[in-house]
Amino acid sequence: MTELSPAHDAAVTDRGRLAGSAYNDDRYLAALQSLYRWQTPRYDLPGMVGKQLSAIRRLVVDVGCGNGKFIKRLRQDRPDLSLLGLDIAAGILADVPGPVAVADASRLPLATASADAALALHMLYHVPDIAQTVKELSRVVTGEGPVIVSTNSERDKAELNDLWVRAAGDVLGVARGPSRISLSARFSLEKAPAFLGKEFSRVETIELPGTITVRDPEPVVAHMASYRAWADLDARLLGIAAAPEVPLVRKRLALLRGDPIEEPKSGTPPGRGWQPRADPNPGFGAHWLQTVVSPPAAKCREQRSPRL
Ligand SMILES: C[S@@+](CC[C@H](N)C(=O)[O-])C[C@H]1O[C@@H](n2cnc3c(N)ncnc32)[C@H](O)[C@@H]1O
């Protein structure tokens, strides 16, 4: 496991960046989500979450609900449930069916044991104090209720990072440039059990390996573009004014597909002239390791013994 720098942690958890740029609407989140349309096998994550909630009868709180992908589906499949969506970013809640509220996962505006289940899907890596937030999730859920958490493996979509590194290398005129920021590394599949195990006596992990295969660069380019909220950090690493990886990634993908390459436009960083190099091993676009591991973290709290 790689050590993460304080600067990395600060960038991934910065509230202004999250609420004001990365998730101020659902444009980037939708691009992140849509890449999985090309995944084999396809996993029906909202359906899997619904199954984990089959015994739940009342309130489910979706913490960091984003654009409401899970709430919308649960509303359809489980009209009997009360659903509450919470997120730190007001903008992304615009199209989420209510009730919704702006709230910070580390200080939930809910009474102790007031929810029957909680979801924290692909969001715990964004909170500054993960251990404290896990405690907070545990606090608001009744003794026997599940807390369902999801995140990515540290091996997740390694090929995309490789593509990014080579595109960054094109800028610097070297084979490999710096990596892109890893959003989920602070709370990866590999790290999650230790965080969750401190609060819950039973943690169940469901691994969802798969392969994403694309035949067109656009879904990948859109995925890369969804990192734009962190582009200033990439630019700083590259020593240039603005991060140009996205257009470079597009060109790299075009090269690998054998498309004609246009000349670089005038935005090419001064003194950093780059020539896209034909890759001797155009294996991209074939297969890469999938993502998500969505561990329903079934929980039983020792201190809630009257209910257990
Ligand atoms: C990657 S998105 C995941 C959205 C949704 N849970 C899903 O799986 O589709 C992360 C979400 O967590 C929200 N978030 C980040 N930090 C948060 C915090 N401290 N409290 C509440 N929400 C937060 C973001 O605004 C964003 O909507």
Side-chain angles (χ1 to χ4, degrees):
M1 282 178 208
T2 32
E3 273 305 306
L4 301 170
S5 70
H8 168 276
D9 283 10
V12 172
T13 61
D14 177 55
R15 190 175 179 149
R17 199 183 284 267
L18 294 170
S21 159
Y23 301 113
N24 62 342
D25 59 33
D26 95 324
R27 195 167 29 135
Y28 295 152
L29 179 56
L32 289 170
Q33 291 166 337
S34 71
L35 195 57
Y36 300 105
R37 292 216 298 268
W38 286 269
Q39 182 195 311
T40 312
R42 290 284 296 271
Y43 294 106
D44 174 16
L45 293 183
M48 294 176 78
V49 167
K51 241 184 217 155
Q52 295 289 329
L53 297 174
S54 53
I56 302 301
R57 295 285 168 258
R58 293 175 304 146
L59 177 64
V60 177
V61 57
D62 186 353
V63 179
C65 65
N67 56 4
K69 177 178 164 176
F70 289 83
I71 288 187
K72 286 173 188 164
R73 176 69 177 279
L74 283 171
R75 233 168 232 295
Q76 194 182 301
D77 294 355
R78 293 288 311 276
D80 58 311
L81 288 177
S82 298
L83 301 168
L84 170 63
L86 301 176
D87 202 284
I88 206 170
I92 208 161
L93 293 171
D95 290 327
V96 183
V100 294
V102 174
D104 187 334
S106 64
R107 286 190 309 275
L108 292 169
L110 295 170
T112 298
S114 58
D116 301 289
L119 314 181
L121 304 172
H122 278 78
M123 64 79 58
L124 277 169
Y125 42 79
H126 282 314
V127 304
D129 187 341
I130 297 171
Q132 197 276 326
T133 305
V134 169
K135 212 176 250 185
E136 185 65 351
L137 289 166
S138 168
R139 181 186 68 77
V140 300
V141 173
T142 57
E144 65 272 30
V147 173
I148 302 175
V149 170
S150 67
T151 188
N152 297 330
S153 163
E154 283 166 15
R155 291 166 293 132
D156 176 54
K157 298 193 285 298
E159 292 82 353
L160 279 192
N161 187 52
D162 195 55
L163 180 67
W164 183 283
V165 160
R166 284 188 281 156
D170 288 339
V171 177
L172 298 171
V174 296
R176 298 176 70 77
S179 289
R180 68 178 171 161
I181 192 165
S182 169
L183 299 184
S184 51
R186 300 178 65 244
F187 182 78
S188 61
L189 167 71
E190 291 78 5
K191 289 176 184 155
F195 279 112
L196 299 167
K198 288 222 167 81
E199 193 59 27
F200 305 110
S201 61
R202 188 163 66 89
V203 176
E204 181 191 338
T205 300
I206 300 176
E207 293 201 21
L208 305 174
T211 302
I212 294 172
T213 306
V214 291
R215 292 194 168 70
D216 190 289
E218 288 318 313
V220 174
V221 171
H223 177 92
M224 295 294 195
S226 72
Y227 280 68
R228 198 158 280 154
W230 287 274
D232 58 311
L233 300 178
D234 295 310
R236 215 178 301 150
L237 279 171
L238 292 170
I240 57 178
E245 288 93 337
V246 170
L248 287 172
V249 162
R250 189 190 296 276
K251 281 183 188 299
R252 271 214 162 263
L253 284 163
L255 263 180
L256 295 173
R257 292 196 317 165
D259 290 354
I261 294 293
E262 296 160 22
E263 282 308 305
K265 297 216 172 83
S266 52
T268 307
R272 304 267 193 190
W274 60 273
Q275 293 297 320
R277 293 176 295 274
D279 198 313
N281 176 25
F284 188 86
H287 306 281
W288 69 79
L289 185 72
Q290 208 267 211
T291 315
V292 188
V293 189
S294 223
K299 59 150 220 162
C300 309
R301 239 155 315 141
E302 281 144 5
Q303 71 269 31
R304 297 266 165 86
S305 45
R307 289 292 195 90
L308 293 175

